[in-house]
Amino acid sequence: MLETIKYLIGAVGASGFSSKSTAEQVTEACPDLRSVTAIITGATSGIGAETARVLAKRGARLVIPARSVKAAEETKSRIVTEFPDTEILVMSLDLSSLNSVRSFVSQFESLNLPLNLLINNAGKFPNSYAISEDGVEMTFATNYLGHFLLTKLLLNKMIETAKQTGYEGRIVNVSSSIHTWFSGDGIRYLEQINTKRSYYDPTRAYALSKLANVLHAVELANRLKKMEANVTVNCVHPGVVRTRLTREREGFITDLVFFLASKLLKSIPQAAATPCYVATHPRLLGVSGKYFADCNEISTSKLATNMDEAARLWIVSEAMTANRFKTSL
């Protein structure tokens, strides 16, 4: 109850920010980003679009990968209209397709650009069952597995950029508090929904994908530390906000739920605050493997901090993204 009250009144946490802080406010103290290149997935609308806009305002060069190049070009146009000096590159990427991820990385590398920030923001919450072209349940494929491969393939570029510039590279995984809703054996459940529709529960599948985002950050942070790389990775819960994520669930029930929860909802500028804070704020120099909400570090579920589960998911993810992967785990 106390935490809910703090959230509702916008009580300031240890960071100096709160649930009411906006992305522009939390980036006021960040360094000049004119030498920074950032890749932001899911930047065509909602939280991702606001994150892109605010980083552009601070001077960053943006790479906006999207399944809909038209939507990405529209985002670019809006940002450039507001900030004419911004450099924005639009590229094609379908995160549910491993081949598309590989193609995007290959094209990005051909540009010979540095890479300082990677914000894994894109996500979907479908109401119906679907399997990706790689034989993976679509929510898991889009929200987690595509981002896992994207991060893995871009990691050397980020480490190299950090060495050359001395600027700490940062990876931000956008998760959700819904990750706490998942319990049980995640790998086993994934195997079931990859092969049998009868096991599928859309909310549980979404919770699993968001748990995977957190476990990915935990394991990657451990690996980066062992490598002594000047790159950090953290996970964030942006808050409850009505965006295009719920576009497949529009209707009376969805409208009613959001009406009843209206006092708990954030505006999009408020929801983009935590991703922007974790990506840019100097206070977080060297901080890695943590979970943030309302621009403050908080605890996750017990399962999300299980190092054995994080390592196990990593091994399975590497197998799933290998060219030899079929559908069996």
Side-chain angles (χ1 to χ4, degrees):
M1 178 61 74
L2 179 60
E3 292 304 315
T4 301
I5 293 174
K6 288 181 178 179
Y7 174 87
L8 289 172
I9 66 175
V12 172
S15 68
F17 301 112
S18 72
S19 61
K20 304 298 184 184
S21 300
T22 66
E24 288 198 15
Q25 291 169 343
V26 304
T27 56
E28 286 176 354
C30 76
D32 187 333
L33 300 183
R34 281 179 291 183
S35 62
V36 167
T37 299
I39 293 177
I40 309 169
T41 68
T44 58
S45 64
I47 297 168
E50 177 65 4
T51 299
R53 188 190 74 82
V54 172
L55 293 186
K57 180 175 183 176
R58 305 304 177 200
R61 174 198 287 129
L62 304 180
V63 178
I64 300 180
R67 186 173 58 178
S68 170
V69 173
K70 179 182 177 182
E73 290 287 359
E74 290 171 353
T75 298
K76 174 181 177 179
S77 179
R78 289 193 298 270
I79 294 174
V80 171
T81 298
E82 187 173 2
F83 309 111
D85 294 333
T86 304
E87 182 181 353
I88 302 178
L89 289 80
V90 168
M91 301 177 68
S92 177
L93 171 63
D94 179 354
L95 282 162
S96 72
S97 165
L98 299 179
N99 279 337
S100 178
V101 173
R102 293 188 184 97
S103 177
F104 166 77
V105 173
S106 177
Q107 291 177 44
F108 175 76
E109 289 180 337
S110 71
L111 299 174
N112 293 314
L113 292 174
L115 181 58
N116 308 93
L117 301 178
L118 172 61
I119 302 179
N120 293 320
N121 166 79
K124 66 183 302 179
F125 190 175
N127 196 36
S128 57
Y129 180 77
I131 292 292
S132 75
E133 65 183 42
D134 301 292
V136 182
E137 187 277 320
M138 191 64 78
T139 306
F140 191 85
T142 304
N143 294 359
Y144 167 71
L145 196 63
H147 282 127
F148 171 85
L149 181 60
L150 179 68
T151 304
K152 179 182 177 181
L153 296 179
L154 291 171
L155 197 57
N156 284 339
K157 171 61 72 174
M158 294 195 72
I159 293 172
E160 175 187 317
T161 299
K163 283 182 178 179
Q164 292 176 346
T165 64
Y167 185 94
E168 179 183 81
R170 295 189 182 183
I171 301 166
V172 180
N173 285 354
V174 178
S175 181
S176 167
S177 61
I178 292 177
H179 82 270
T180 63
W181 295 10
F182 189 90
S183 61
D185 188 330
I187 303 303
R188 175 60 179 161
Y189 181 63
L190 178 61
E191 182 180 33
Q192 291 172 336
I193 61 177
N194 278 351
T195 55
K196 294 183 180 180
R197 182 174 187 151
S198 59
Y199 287 101
Y200 183 69
D201 176 325
T203 300
R204 193 170 189 223
Y206 181 74
L208 173 61
S209 73
K210 291 303 173 180
L211 171 64
N213 292 146
V214 184
L215 290 171
H216 175 232
V218 169
E219 177 63 16
L220 181 55
N222 185 48
R223 289 170 178 256
L224 288 168
K225 182 178 180 180
K226 290 179 179 177
M227 296 167 62
E228 298 184 345
N230 188 22
V231 177
T232 63
V233 56
N234 290 289
C235 214
V236 305
H237 166 55
V240 182
V241 58
R242 191 167 191 177
T243 67
R244 292 182 68 246
L245 183 66
T246 60
R247 59 188 174 273
E248 295 184 31
R249 294 168 173 270
E250 296 300 324
F252 174 74
I253 297 299
T254 300
D255 291 340
L256 179 62
V257 169
F258 275 100
F259 173 76
L260 294 174
S262 60
K263 295 299 182 182
L264 298 176
L265 293 182
K266 286 186 175 185
S267 67
I268 287 177
Q270 290 169 344
T274 305
C276 286
Y277 171 75
V278 173
T280 67
H281 205 284
R283 181 181 289 114
L284 297 185
L285 190 67
V287 175
S288 194
K290 305 300 182 181
Y291 182 79
F292 293 82
D294 303 328
C295 300
N296 288 278
E297 183 183 339
I298 66 169
S299 300
T300 62
S301 68
K302 185 176 180 180
L303 183 57
T305 57
N306 188 311
M307 295 297 296
D308 291 337
E309 284 302 308
R312 180 179 175 225
L313 176 64
W314 186 282
I315 292 170
V316 169
S317 301
E318 287 200 318
M320 293 179 73
T321 53
N323 289 323
R324 63 180 180 277
F325 173 67
K326 301 301 182 182
T327 57
S328 175
L329 301 181

